[in-house]
Amino acid sequence: LITMNNYVPFHKGTPQYEWAMKEFASVDRKMTPWLFVQFHAPPYHTYYTHYKEMDCFLSVWEDVFYEYGVDLVLNGHVHAYERTHPMYKYKPDTCGPIYITIGDGGNVEGPYRPGTTPNPAYSSAHRAHTQHFL
């Protein structure tokens, strides 16, 4: 599990970038067959609030996730549940990671309203009222 912070500088040349790239490069997939990444805000979800808010982060990290074969990306922030199909650059791709938003715990603001219509092909499941399951 590689834990990142999308609220501090994350571009090339930053301490986080240099650290994370060493972490990705050090993973031995024979010893660690599954590679998970987590950070707070979800890059892929279909809810109106915060939609495409993480495109800057993705512009730096999505190719890295794809190159190193990240299997699963876990996020919160959006007060709802959503799971994607394996994907890359807003399209289903069997070599890309699955993104799971599990930000509904402790939500006192009420359910988020869906935003994209029709539902994009990359979205596998989403629920505004679901609590904590993968």
Side-chain angles (χ1 to χ4, degrees):
L1 175 65
I2 296 175
T3 301
M4 302 172 74
N5 186 340
N6 58 275
Y7 293 117
V8 300
F10 49 77
H11 296 85
K12 286 184 181 180
T14 64
Q16 178 172 216
Y17 183 89
E18 300 304 323
W19 169 84
M21 291 305 293
K22 287 178 186 173
E23 290 294 308
F24 282 113
S26 72
V27 174
D28 178 352
R29 294 310 287 266
K30 292 177 184 166
M31 297 293 295
T32 309
W34 296 93
L35 180 54
F36 297 174
V37 173
Q38 69 179 4
F39 47 91
H40 185 69
Y44 287 114
H45 64 87
T46 58
Y47 292 91
Y48 178 75
T49 305
H50 308 296
Y51 185 65
K52 292 195 173 187
E53 185 176 82
M54 292 288 290
D55 279 358
C56 182
F57 187 87
L58 281 182
S59 73
V60 175
W61 291 106
E62 188 167 27
D63 290 337
V64 174
F65 296 167
Y66 196 81
E67 175 185 347
Y68 285 98
V70 170
D71 297 291
L72 184 68
V73 177
L74 300 168
N75 308 107
H77 191 62
V78 170
H79 294 172
Y81 169 82
E82 185 148 10
R83 181 181 69 247
T84 71
H85 294 288
M87 60 180 299
Y88 178 66
K89 307 253 184 212
Y90 285 95
K91 295 181 180 168
D93 185 317
T94 58
C95 295
I98 293 170
Y99 292 81
I100 298 180
T101 302
I102 45 176
D104 51 355
N107 177 15
V108 296
E109 299 165 352
Y112 274 24
R113 62 187 171 119
T116 57
T117 306
N119 211 31
Y122 65 76
S123 181
S124 172
H126 61 108
R127 304 282 182 273
H129 298 288
T130 303
Q131 297 288 326
H132 307 307
F133 66 84
L134 299 177

